[in-house]
Amino acid sequence: MTQDAGALGALFEVLSASEADRVTALYAPLADAVRDLLDATVRTEVDDDTVAQARAAIEAVTQSLRQRTRPVGVSYRVDGRPLPLGNAVVGACNPIAPPLVVHHDGGGRCWADFVLGSAYEGPPKLVHGGVSALVLDHMLGEAASEGLSKARFTGTITVKYLRGTPLGPLRSEAWIDRREGRKVFARGFISDDAGITVESEGVFIEPSWVREGGNGQ
């Protein structure tokens, strides 16, 4: 495992493909278990003693996991590409991520089917509007950066809420609308079985250090 500094000052741990598979296989199931815990914590109505016992057990587990942690700001790369295990939307090892699995169809188009449960609630039975914006920012970014292979970052994003997005199974799609110099314009939406609930468009900027010869990879 080696390390390098990216153009944004982040520190990357460069993993082999086999080591990336090992890390994901080890920590992703832990994140899945914590996602279940989040849902149970939001919805539980157990008695006082059970809550106290659960809290003590969780605090003990948290302390055990803190025996060894990576620094904030460290992320992974495999074969020159990012492996965003801690990403808030797609991070397989981040319990607050649903997580989305993004599929790319080429030509700057991508999609994901996913589920948002109780941890993402805003109004009763509906997804919090900020969570919808979070998902769309990431999806438009995936499209604009052509699968995170190009350094293009959110300049502006506009979100239009057509109706409430229900908790449960959802789909998001995004695509590149056009390019103008260093700017990439992307569009996308979230939908349920009845149709689109939220639309978004954004402008993604290629930073100056890319044009000056850096690639940030």
Side-chain angles (χ1 to χ4, degrees), residues 43-71:
R43 300 172 59 193
T44 189
E45 293 184 339
V46 296
D47 59 64
D48 293 4
D49 288 343
T50 303
V51 169
Q53 292 169 9
R55 177 180 173 184
I58 291 166
E59 289 173 346
V61 170
T62 299
Q63 285 301 110
S64 72
L65 294 176
R66 289 194 184 280
Q67 293 179 68
R68 181 180 177 184
T69 59
R70 62 182 171 88

PDB file of all heavy atoms in Angstrom, residues 43-71:
ATOM      1  N   ARG A  43     -36.801   3.685  14.961  1.00  0.00           N
ATOM      2  CA  ARG A  43     -38.152   3.156  15.038  1.00  0.00           C
ATOM      3  C   ARG A  43     -38.479   2.425  16.344  1.00  0.00           C
ATOM      4  O   ARG A  43     -39.636   2.093  16.596  1.00  0.00           O
ATOM      5  CB  ARG A  43     -38.386   2.205  13.865  1.00  0.00           C
ATOM      6  CG  ARG A  43     -38.225   2.889  12.502  1.00  0.00           C
ATOM      7  CD  ARG A  43     -38.277   1.891  11.362  1.00  0.00           C
ATOM      8  NE  ARG A  43     -39.525   1.156  11.352  1.00  0.00           N
ATOM      9  CZ  ARG A  43     -39.744   0.055  10.633  1.00  0.00           C
ATOM     10  NH1 ARG A  43     -38.771  -0.436   9.886  1.00  0.00           N
ATOM     11  NH2 ARG A  43     -40.909  -0.560  10.671  1.00  0.00           N
ATOM     12  N   THR A  44     -37.489   2.180  17.182  1.00  0.00           N
ATOM     13  CA  THR A  44     -37.732   1.340  18.351  1.00  0.00           C
ATOM     14  C   THR A  44     -38.679   1.989  19.367  1.00  0.00           C
ATOM     15  O   THR A  44     -38.716   3.217  19.508  1.00  0.00           O
ATOM     16  CB  THR A  44     -36.407   0.993  19.060  1.00  0.00           C
ATOM     17  OG1 THR A  44     -36.661   0.014  20.065  1.00  0.00           O
ATOM     18  CG2 THR A  44     -35.770   2.223  19.688  1.00  0.00           C
ATOM     19  N   GLU A  45     -39.412   1.129  20.070  1.00  0.00           N
ATOM     20  CA  GLU A  45     -40.256   1.550  21.181  1.00  0.00           C
ATOM     21  C   GLU A  45     -40.080   0.589  22.363  1.00  0.00           C
ATOM     22  O   GLU A  45     -41.013   0.336  23.126  1.00  0.00           O
ATOM     23  CB  GLU A  45     -41.734   1.612  20.751  1.00  0.00           C
ATOM     24  CG  GLU A  45     -42.035   2.700  19.726  1.00  0.00           C
ATOM     25  CD  GLU A  45     -43.512   2.811  19.396  1.00  0.00           C
ATOM     26  OE1 GLU A  45     -44.254   1.830  19.639  1.00  0.00           O
ATOM     27  OE2 GLU A  45     -43.923   3.864  18.891  1.00  0.00           O
ATOM     28  N   VAL A  46     -38.864   0.070  22.507  1.00  0.00           N
ATOM     29  CA  VAL A  46     -38.605  -0.877  23.598  1.00  0.00           C
ATOM     30  C   VAL A  46     -38.576  -0.154  24.938  1.00  0.00           C
ATOM     31  O   VAL A  46     -38.560   1.084  25.004  1.00  0.00           O
ATOM     32  CB  VAL A  46     -37.274  -1.627  23.355  1.00  0.00           C
ATOM     33  CG1 VAL A  46     -37.363  -2.481  22.103  1.00  0.00           C
ATOM     34  CG2 VAL A  46     -36.104  -0.642  23.261  1.00  0.00           C
ATOM     35  N   ASP A  47     -38.525  -0.933  26.024  1.00  0.00           N
ATOM     36  CA  ASP A  47     -38.592  -0.358  27.373  1.00  0.00           C
ATOM     37  C   ASP A  47     -37.265   0.274  27.792  1.00  0.00           C
ATOM     38  O   ASP A  47     -36.239   0.129  27.133  1.00  0.00           O
ATOM     39  CB  ASP A  47     -39.007  -1.430  28.382  1.00  0.00           C
ATOM     40  CG  ASP A  47     -38.035  -2.597  28.393  1.00  0.00           C
ATOM     41  OD1 ASP A  47     -36.856  -2.398  28.757  1.00  0.00           O
ATOM     42  OD2 ASP A  47     -38.449  -3.725  28.038  1.00  0.00           O
ATOM     43  N   ASP A  48     -37.299   0.966  28.929  1.00  0.00           N
ATOM     44  CA  ASP A  48     -36.141   1.725  29.413  1.00  0.00           C
ATOM     45  C   ASP A  48     -34.915   0.843  29.626  1.00  0.00           C
ATOM     46  O   ASP A  48     -33.788   1.227  29.267  1.00  0.00           O
ATOM     47  CB  ASP A  48     -36.477   2.429  30.729  1.00  0.00           C
ATOM     48  CG  ASP A  48     -37.520   3.529  30.559  1.00  0.00           C
ATOM     49  OD1 ASP A  48     -38.039   3.685  29.429  1.00  0.00           O
ATOM     50  OD2 ASP A  48     -37.818   4.220  31.550  1.00  0.00           O
ATOM     51  N   ASP A  49     -35.101  -0.322  30.219  1.00  0.00           N
ATOM     52  CA  ASP A  49     -33.970  -1.204  30.495  1.00  0.00           C
ATOM     53  C   ASP A  49     -33.296  -1.677  29.211  1.00  0.00           C
ATOM     54  O   ASP A  49     -32.065  -1.736  29.124  1.00  0.00           O
ATOM     55  CB  ASP A  49     -34.424  -2.409  31.314  1.00  0.00           C
ATOM     56  CG  ASP A  49     -34.749  -2.038  32.757  1.00  0.00           C
ATOM     57  OD1 ASP A  49     -34.328  -0.946  33.192  1.00  0.00           O
ATOM     58  OD2 ASP A  49     -35.425  -2.838  33.432  1.00  0.00           O
ATOM     59  N   THR A  50     -34.113  -2.004  28.207  1.00  0.00           N
ATOM     60  CA  THR A  50     -33.557  -2.466  26.942  1.00  0.00           C
ATOM     61  C   THR A  50     -32.764  -1.354  26.257  1.00  0.00           C
ATOM     62  O   THR A  50     -31.690  -1.585  25.697  1.00  0.00           O
ATOM     63  CB  THR A  50     -34.677  -2.972  26.014  1.00  0.00           C
ATOM     64  OG1 THR A  50     -35.398  -4.010  26.674  1.00  0.00           O
ATOM     65  CG2 THR A  50     -34.103  -3.500  24.708  1.00  0.00           C
ATOM     66  N   VAL A  51     -33.289  -0.128  26.321  1.00  0.00           N
ATOM     67  CA  VAL A  51     -32.570   1.010  25.746  1.00  0.00           C
ATOM     68  C   VAL A  51     -31.233   1.209  26.453  1.00  0.00           C
ATOM     69  O   VAL A  51     -30.188   1.423  25.819  1.00  0.00           O
ATOM     70  CB  VAL A  51     -33.421   2.294  25.825  1.00  0.00           C
ATOM     71  CG1 VAL A  51     -32.583   3.521  25.471  1.00  0.00           C
ATOM     72  CG2 VAL A  51     -34.617   2.201  24.892  1.00  0.00           C
ATOM     73  N   ALA A  52     -31.231   1.142  27.769  1.00  0.00           N
ATOM     74  CA  ALA A  52     -30.002   1.327  28.537  1.00  0.00           C
ATOM     75  C   ALA A  52     -28.976   0.248  28.211  1.00  0.00           C
ATOM     76  O   ALA A  52     -27.774   0.532  28.053  1.00  0.00           O
ATOM     77  CB  ALA A  52     -30.317   1.326  30.029  1.00  0.00           C
ATOM     78  N   GLN A  53     -29.422  -0.999  28.091  1.00  0.00           N
ATOM     79  CA  GLN A  53     -28.516  -2.095  27.751  1.00  0.00           C
ATOM     80  C   GLN A  53     -27.947  -1.919  26.340  1.00  0.00           C
ATOM     81  O   GLN A  53     -26.752  -2.134  26.117  1.00  0.00           O
ATOM     82  CB  GLN A  53     -29.255  -3.427  27.865  1.00  0.00           C
ATOM     83  CG  GLN A  53     -29.646  -3.801  29.288  1.00  0.00           C
ATOM     84  CD  GLN A  53     -30.610  -4.981  29.328  1.00  0.00           C
ATOM     85  OE1 GLN A  53     -30.868  -5.635  28.324  1.00  0.00           O
ATOM     86  NE2 GLN A  53     -31.153  -5.254  30.512  1.00  0.00           N
ATOM     87  N   ALA A  54     -28.811  -1.518  25.417  1.00  0.00           N
ATOM     88  CA  ALA A  54     -28.359  -1.316  24.033  1.00  0.00           C
ATOM     89  C   ALA A  54     -27.340  -0.184  23.966  1.00  0.00           C
ATOM     90  O   ALA A  54     -26.313  -0.291  23.271  1.00  0.00           O
ATOM     91  CB  ALA A  54     -29.552  -1.021  23.136  1.00  0.00           C
ATOM     92  N   ARG A  55     -27.630   0.907  24.680  1.00  0.00           N
ATOM     93  CA  ARG A  55     -26.696   2.039  24.667  1.00  0.00           C
ATOM     94  C   ARG A  55     -25.328   1.631  25.202  1.00  0.00           C
ATOM     95  O   ARG A  55     -24.292   1.975  24.611  1.00  0.00           O
ATOM     96  CB  ARG A  55     -27.267   3.188  25.508  1.00  0.00           C
ATOM     97  CG  ARG A  55     -26.337   4.384  25.622  1.00  0.00           C
ATOM     98  CD  ARG A  55     -26.944   5.481  26.463  1.00  0.00           C
ATOM     99  NE  ARG A  55     -25.995   6.543  26.712  1.00  0.00           N
ATOM    100  CZ  ARG A  55     -26.232   7.596  27.475  1.00  0.00           C
ATOM    101  NH1 ARG A  55     -27.422   7.722  28.070  1.00  0.00           N
ATOM    102  NH2 ARG A  55     -25.315   8.522  27.647  1.00  0.00           N
ATOM    103  N   ALA A  56     -25.300   0.894  26.292  1.00  0.00           N
ATOM    104  CA  ALA A  56     -24.026   0.457  26.865  1.00  0.00           C
ATOM    105  C   ALA A  56     -23.262  -0.440  25.894  1.00  0.00           C
ATOM    106  O   ALA A  56     -22.038  -0.308  25.732  1.00  0.00           O
ATOM    107  CB  ALA A  56     -24.265  -0.270  28.192  1.00  0.00           C
ATOM    108  N   ALA A  57     -23.982  -1.344  25.241  1.00  0.00           N
ATOM    109  CA  ALA A  57     -23.332  -2.250  24.282  1.00  0.00           C
ATOM    110  C   ALA A  57     -22.779  -1.477  23.087  1.00  0.00           C
ATOM    111  O   ALA A  57     -21.658  -1.741  22.633  1.00  0.00           O
ATOM    112  CB  ALA A  57     -24.333  -3.304  23.816  1.00  0.00           C
ATOM    113  N   ILE A  58     -23.561  -0.513  22.595  1.00  0.00           N
ATOM    114  CA  ILE A  58     -23.111   0.274  21.450  1.00  0.00           C
ATOM    115  C   ILE A  58     -21.898   1.111  21.807  1.00  0.00           C
ATOM    116  O   ILE A  58     -20.930   1.202  21.033  1.00  0.00           O
ATOM    117  CB  ILE A  58     -24.262   1.165  20.941  1.00  0.00           C
ATOM    118  CG1 ILE A  58     -25.362   0.303  20.316  1.00  0.00           C
ATOM    119  CG2 ILE A  58     -23.757   2.189  19.923  1.00  0.00           C
ATOM    120  CD1 ILE A  58     -26.662   1.044  20.098  1.00  0.00           C
ATOM    121  N   GLU A  59     -21.906   1.723  22.982  1.00  0.00           N
ATOM    122  CA  GLU A  59     -20.756   2.522  23.412  1.00  0.00           C
ATOM    123  C   GLU A  59     -19.499   1.661  23.529  1.00  0.00           C
ATOM    124  O   GLU A  59     -18.397   2.088  23.156  1.00  0.00           O
ATOM    125  CB  GLU A  59     -21.070   3.211  24.738  1.00  0.00           C
ATOM    126  CG  GLU A  59     -22.092   4.336  24.603  1.00  0.00           C
ATOM    127  CD  GLU A  59     -22.515   4.904  25.939  1.00  0.00           C
ATOM    128  OE1 GLU A  59     -22.224   4.272  26.982  1.00  0.00           O
ATOM    129  OE2 GLU A  59     -23.143   5.985  25.953  1.00  0.00           O
ATOM    130  N   ALA A  60     -19.655   0.425  24.008  1.00  0.00           N
ATOM    131  CA  ALA A  60     -18.511  -0.475  24.137  1.00  0.00           C
ATOM    132  C   ALA A  60     -17.962  -0.855  22.763  1.00  0.00           C
ATOM    133  O   ALA A  60     -16.738  -0.874  22.554  1.00  0.00           O
ATOM    134  CB  ALA A  60     -18.909  -1.726  24.918  1.00  0.00           C
ATOM    135  N   VAL A  61     -18.854  -1.146  21.820  1.00  0.00           N
ATOM    136  CA  VAL A  61     -18.420  -1.489  20.469  1.00  0.00           C
ATOM    137  C   VAL A  61     -17.724  -0.298  19.809  1.00  0.00           C
ATOM    138  O   VAL A  61     -16.697  -0.448  19.131  1.00  0.00           O
ATOM    139  CB  VAL A  61     -19.625  -1.961  19.623  1.00  0.00           C
ATOM    140  CG1 VAL A  61     -19.235  -2.080  18.162  1.00  0.00           C
ATOM    141  CG2 VAL A  61     -20.142  -3.289  20.137  1.00  0.00           C
ATOM    142  N   THR A  62     -18.278   0.894  20.014  1.00  0.00           N
ATOM    143  CA  THR A  62     -17.668   2.096  19.436  1.00  0.00           C
ATOM    144  C   THR A  62     -16.244   2.273  19.938  1.00  0.00           C
ATOM    145  O   THR A  62     -15.323   2.566  19.161  1.00  0.00           O
ATOM    146  CB  THR A  62     -18.499   3.340  19.789  1.00  0.00           C
ATOM    147  OG1 THR A  62     -19.809   3.190  19.231  1.00  0.00           O
ATOM    148  CG2 THR A  62     -17.862   4.600  19.229  1.00  0.00           C
ATOM    149  N   GLN A  63     -16.042   2.087  21.242  1.00  0.00           N
ATOM    150  CA  GLN A  63     -14.694   2.203  21.790  1.00  0.00           C
ATOM    151  C   GLN A  63     -13.760   1.156  21.199  1.00  0.00           C
ATOM    152  O   GLN A  63     -12.588   1.439  20.924  1.00  0.00           O
ATOM    153  CB  GLN A  63     -14.738   2.074  23.319  1.00  0.00           C
ATOM    154  CG  GLN A  63     -15.281   3.311  24.016  1.00  0.00           C
ATOM    155  CD  GLN A  63     -14.458   4.547  23.712  1.00  0.00           C
ATOM    156  OE1 GLN A  63     -14.909   5.461  23.009  1.00  0.00           O
ATOM    157  NE2 GLN A  63     -13.234   4.576  24.206  1.00  0.00           N
ATOM    158  N   SER A  64     -14.242  -0.051  20.984  1.00  0.00           N
ATOM    159  CA  SER A  64     -13.389  -1.095  20.413  1.00  0.00           C
ATOM    160  C   SER A  64     -12.974  -0.749  18.988  1.00  0.00           C
ATOM    161  O   SER A  64     -11.835  -1.009  18.586  1.00  0.00           O
ATOM    162  CB  SER A  64     -14.111  -2.445  20.457  1.00  0.00           C
ATOM    163  OG  SER A  64     -15.168  -2.509  19.511  1.00  0.00           O
ATOM    164  N   LEU A  65     -13.881  -0.145  18.207  1.00  0.00           N
ATOM    165  CA  LEU A  65     -13.561   0.219  16.834  1.00  0.00           C
ATOM    166  C   LEU A  65     -12.619   1.407  16.760  1.00  0.00           C
ATOM    167  O   LEU A  65     -11.878   1.567  15.775  1.00  0.00           O
ATOM    168  CB  LEU A  65     -14.852   0.530  16.061  1.00  0.00           C
ATOM    169  CG  LEU A  65     -15.800  -0.642  15.837  1.00  0.00           C
ATOM    170  CD1 LEU A  65     -17.085  -0.179  15.155  1.00  0.00           C
ATOM    171  CD2 LEU A  65     -15.134  -1.736  15.002  1.00  0.00           C
ATOM    172  N   ARG A  66     -12.617   2.256  17.776  1.00  0.00           N
ATOM    173  CA  ARG A  66     -11.736   3.425  17.789  1.00  0.00           C
ATOM    174  C   ARG A  66     -10.296   3.092  18.192  1.00  0.00           C
ATOM    175  O   ARG A  66      -9.439   3.982  18.223  1.00  0.00           O
ATOM    176  CB  ARG A  66     -12.285   4.498  18.726  1.00  0.00           C
ATOM    177  CG  ARG A  66     -13.536   5.185  18.195  1.00  0.00           C
ATOM    178  CD  ARG A  66     -13.845   6.447  18.972  1.00  0.00           C
ATOM    179  NE  ARG A  66     -15.085   7.056  18.538  1.00  0.00           N
ATOM    180  CZ  ARG A  66     -15.209   7.826  17.451  1.00  0.00           C
ATOM    181  NH1 ARG A  66     -14.146   8.056  16.682  1.00  0.00           N
ATOM    182  NH2 ARG A  66     -16.379   8.350  17.133  1.00  0.00           N
ATOM    183  N   GLN A  67     -10.014   1.840  18.455  1.00  0.00           N
ATOM    184  CA  GLN A  67      -8.643   1.462  18.800  1.00  0.00           C
ATOM    185  C   GLN A  67      -7.680   1.747  17.651  1.00  0.00           C
ATOM    186  O   GLN A  67      -6.493   2.008  17.872  1.00  0.00           O
ATOM    187  CB  GLN A  67      -8.578  -0.024  19.161  1.00  0.00           C
ATOM    188  CG  GLN A  67      -9.321  -0.388  20.435  1.00  0.00           C
ATOM    189  CD  GLN A  67      -9.230  -1.868  20.726  1.00  0.00           C
ATOM    190  OE1 GLN A  67      -8.157  -2.386  21.050  1.00  0.00           O
ATOM    191  NE2 GLN A  67     -10.344  -2.558  20.617  1.00  0.00           N
ATOM    192  N   ARG A  68      -8.204   1.693  16.434  1.00  0.00           N
ATOM    193  CA  ARG A  68      -7.359   1.992  15.274  1.00  0.00           C
ATOM    194  C   ARG A  68      -8.242   2.598  14.193  1.00  0.00           C
ATOM    195  O   ARG A  68      -9.176   1.950  13.720  1.00  0.00           O
ATOM    196  CB  ARG A  68      -6.681   0.722  14.741  1.00  0.00           C
ATOM    197  CG  ARG A  68      -5.770   0.983  13.551  1.00  0.00           C
ATOM    198  CD  ARG A  68      -5.125  -0.301  13.060  1.00  0.00           C
ATOM    199  NE  ARG A  68      -4.312  -0.072  11.875  1.00  0.00           N
ATOM    200  CZ  ARG A  68      -3.699  -1.038  11.182  1.00  0.00           C
ATOM    201  NH1 ARG A  68      -3.814  -2.296  11.583  1.00  0.00           N
ATOM    202  NH2 ARG A  68      -2.992  -0.744  10.116  1.00  0.00           N
ATOM    203  N   THR A  69      -7.947   3.830  13.798  1.00  0.00           N
ATOM    204  CA  THR A  69      -8.744   4.517  12.783  1.00  0.00           C
ATOM    205  C   THR A  69      -7.820   5.215  11.790  1.00  0.00           C
ATOM    206  O   THR A  69      -6.690   5.587  12.120  1.00  0.00           O
ATOM    207  CB  THR A  69      -9.675   5.573  13.412  1.00  0.00           C
ATOM    208  OG1 THR A  69      -8.880   6.535  14.121  1.00  0.00           O
ATOM    209  CG2 THR A  69     -10.663   4.931  14.389  1.00  0.00           C
ATOM    210  N   ARG A  70      -8.307   5.402  10.578  1.00  0.00           N
ATOM    211  CA  ARG A  70      -7.529   6.171   9.602  1.00  0.00           C
ATOM    212  C   ARG A  70      -7.823   7.656   9.779  1.00  0.00           C
ATOM    213  O   ARG A  70      -8.911   8.025  10.224  1.00  0.00           O
ATOM    214  CB  ARG A  70      -7.865   5.714   8.178  1.00  0.00           C
ATOM    215  CG  ARG A  70      -9.297   5.901   7.748  1.00  0.00           C
ATOM    216  CD  ARG A  70      -9.503   5.355   6.336  1.00  0.00           C
ATOM    217  NE  ARG A  70     -10.898   5.308   5.941  1.00  0.00           N
ATOM    218  CZ  ARG A  70     -11.557   6.309   5.372  1.00  0.00           C
ATOM    219  NH1 ARG A  70     -10.939   7.447   5.154  1.00  0.00           N
ATOM    220  NH2 ARG A  70     -12.827   6.176   5.034  1.00  0.00           N
ATOM    221  N   PRO A  71      -6.881   8.514   9.431  1.00  0.00           N
ATOM    222  CA  PRO A  71      -7.104   9.955   9.592  1.00  0.00           C
ATOM    223  C   PRO A  71      -8.241  10.455   8.709  1.00  0.00           C
ATOM    224  O   PRO A  71      -8.496   9.910   7.633  1.00  0.00           O
ATOM    225  CB  PRO A  71      -5.766  10.569   9.151  1.00  0.00           C
ATOM    226  CG  PRO A  71      -4.766   9.457   9.241  1.00  0.00           C
ATOM    227  CD  PRO A  71      -5.535   8.207   8.935  1.00  0.00           C
TER     228      PRO A  71
END
